[in-house]
Amino acid sequence: MDPKDIKAVLGAGLLSFPVTHFDAEGKFNRDSYSKHVDWLSGFDAAALFAAGGTGEFFSLSPDEIPTIVAAAKDAAGDTPIVSGCGYGTEIAVSIAKAAEKAGADGILLLPHYLIDAPQEGLYRHVLAVCQSVGIGVMVYNRDNSILQADTIQRLCDNCPNLIGFKDGSGDIGLVRQITATMGDRLTYLGGMPTAELFAEAYLAAGFTTYSSAVFNFVPDLAVAFYKALRAGETGTCEKILKDFFYPFMKLRSRNKGYAVSAIKAGVRLQGFDAGPVRAPLVDLTGEEEDMLAGLIASCKK
């Protein structure tokens, strides 16, 4: 997909990251994953992100990523697929090239591995990835990879295929500076864990959309919240937050990594053989999974 086209798609609606399905031996379960992606593509999501953060990118080997991207492309019909990408520059470039070859419509560049880096180093890192592919690239501001407004400006000047900025930092002052500086040069995506909790604040800061992790297992609810948000229906948003998202947040906060583990548990509860999370994450306890099942059931009433 042309970078300008994927930029328009990303700004047009709700986004989500399918979990990556594993079998009992911990290997990629293509059959179950394909069924799940096919199901998700029937709902109103503008694009799906294969092997992203919720898809346990951090636990995948680089050679697994193009396989997952290809499976998503085959299953998603007309829904565009964006591939996760990350680690150090050389590995990130190789992943980006392999994902493009596998059919990815765009790249989401996650934070590099472990070490902090100065703005010049981050600039060179993003530049190298953008120059390695012809498809659109989005950067993900989070943790040890925080691009400042002037660095984003410089990258936009030198990377025509840099088309998106996703934020998971929660630094509204910085993201508002970036949206004010770059205007419609980029598409802006909210990327905080359980993004619906922050969606209203990010909308006010110039972000048109966000990635919904819970879309994985309650897509109807995720779409209803997004539509209410975009329509300015504050009362509906508040009801969904109180009925579902705040209780889900409480469950998610019971252990580190549950922002992913709870999503995968939800997918299993909806009848998909998603398998366990990979180490270093751990799965929900049986009691916690029962709590999540009750929360899902309450949404169907």
Side-chain angles (χ1 to χ4, degrees), residues 236-253:
T236 300
C237 289
E238 288 180 350
K239 185 178 189 311
I240 297 174
L241 286 168
K242 289 187 287 187
D243 290 350
F244 179 84
F245 284 106
Y246 292 146
F248 179 77
M249 177 180 65
K250 186 176 181 180
L251 175 60
R252 186 204 70 190
S253 299

Side-chain angles (χ1 to χ4, degrees), residues 130-211:
C130 287
Q131 290 182 339
S132 72
V133 294
I135 53 180
V137 176
M138 287 140 278
V139 291
Y140 193 178
N141 250 31
R142 183 169 175 172
D143 298 325
N144 64 332
S145 184
I146 302 295
L147 295 154
Q148 298 299 320
D150 57 348
T151 305
I152 293 287
Q153 174 78 70
R154 191 176 166 204
L155 284 164
C156 286
D157 290 343
N158 292 291
C159 303
N161 64 329
L162 179 64
I163 50 87
F165 174 87
K166 182 178 181 182
D167 184 73
S169 73
D171 186 343
I172 294 295
L174 174 60
V175 300
R176 184 66 185 108
Q177 182 185 5
I178 290 171
T179 59
T181 300
M182 299 312 306
D184 61 5
R185 170 62 180 80
L186 298 172
T187 290
Y188 304 99
L189 295 70
M192 295 289 288
T194 315
E196 285 87 354
L197 299 170
F198 308 89
E200 291 164 302
Y202 273 80
L203 183 66
F207 283 55
T208 58
T209 190
Y210 55 87
S211 54

Side-chain angles (χ1 to χ4, degrees), residues 255-258 260-262 276-285 288:
N255 209 352
K256 292 183 181 296
Y258 271 13
V260 173
S261 302
V277 293
R278 279 182 176 173
L281 298 184
V282 297
D283 285 299
L284 272 62
T285 66
E288 290 166 340

Side-chain angles (χ1 to χ4, degrees), residues 19-297:
V19 300
T20 302
H21 296 219
F22 302 123
D23 61 22
E25 285 73 46
K27 298 186 182 300
F28 175 53
N29 185 342
R30 179 168 184 148
D31 181 61
S32 179
Y33 179 76
S34 296
K35 290 176 181 176
H36 184 217
V37 171
D38 176 67
W39 181 63
L40 293 177
S41 66
F43 294 88
D44 194 10
L48 297 174
F49 290 68
T54 305
E56 297 180 72
F57 172 85
F58 45 83
S59 74
L60 300 172
S61 65
D63 62 352
E64 286 180 302
I65 294 168
T67 300
I68 294 166
V69 168
K73 284 293 293 182
D74 287 346
D78 294 332
T79 303
I81 296 296
V82 176
S83 172
C85 181
Y87 302 115
T89 305
E90 292 304 312
I91 297 175
V93 165
S94 68
I95 291 172
K97 289 180 176 179
E100 181 179 37
K101 186 176 180 180
D105 296 296
I107 295 293
L108 175 66
L109 183 57
L110 281 73
H112 61 279
Y113 177 73
L114 187 60
I115 191 125
D116 288 329
Q119 290 297 296
E120 178 62 26
L122 293 177
Y123 168 79
R124 294 179 186 179
H125 176 68
V126 177
L127 179 70
V129 172
C130 287
Q131 290 182 339
S132 72
V133 294
I135 53 180
V137 176
M138 287 140 278
V139 291
Y140 193 178
N141 250 31
R142 183 169 175 172
D143 298 325
N144 64 332
S145 184
I146 302 295
L147 295 154
Q148 298 299 320
D150 57 348
T151 305
I152 293 287
Q153 174 78 70
R154 191 176 166 204
L155 284 164
C156 286
D157 290 343
N158 292 291
C159 303
N161 64 329
L162 179 64
I163 50 87
F165 174 87
K166 182 178 181 182
D167 184 73
S169 73
D171 186 343
I172 294 295
L174 174 60
V175 300
R176 184 66 185 108
Q177 182 185 5
I178 290 171
T179 59
T181 300
M182 299 312 306
D184 61 5
R185 170 62 180 80
L186 298 172
T187 290
Y188 304 99
L189 295 70
M192 295 289 288
T194 315
E196 285 87 354
L197 299 170
F198 308 89
E200 291 164 302
Y202 273 80
L203 183 66
F207 283 55
T208 58
T209 190
Y210 55 87
S211 54
S212 172
V214 303
F215 184 89
N216 268 279
F217 64 95
V218 283
D220 281 330
L221 182 73
V223 170
F225 182 87
Y226 177 78
K227 288 182 176 179
L229 174 75
R230 296 297 292 154
E233 297 172 358
T234 304
T236 300
C237 289
E238 288 180 350
K239 185 178 189 311
I240 297 174
L241 286 168
K242 289 187 287 187
D243 290 350
F244 179 84
F245 284 106
Y246 292 146
F248 179 77
M249 177 180 65
K250 186 176 181 180
L251 175 60
R252 186 204 70 190
S253 299
R254 288 170 69 103
N255 209 352
K256 292 183 181 296
Y258 271 13
V260 173
S261 302
I263 301 301
K264 182 164 270 191
V267 174
R268 292 194 300 267
L269 288 167
Q270 292 289 41
F272 295 96
D273 188 17
V277 293
R278 279 182 176 173
L281 298 184
V282 297
D283 285 299
L284 272 62
T285 66
E287 178 188 5
E288 290 166 340
E289 197 155 313
D290 287 343
M291 292 167 62
L292 182 58
L295 184 57
I296 293 171

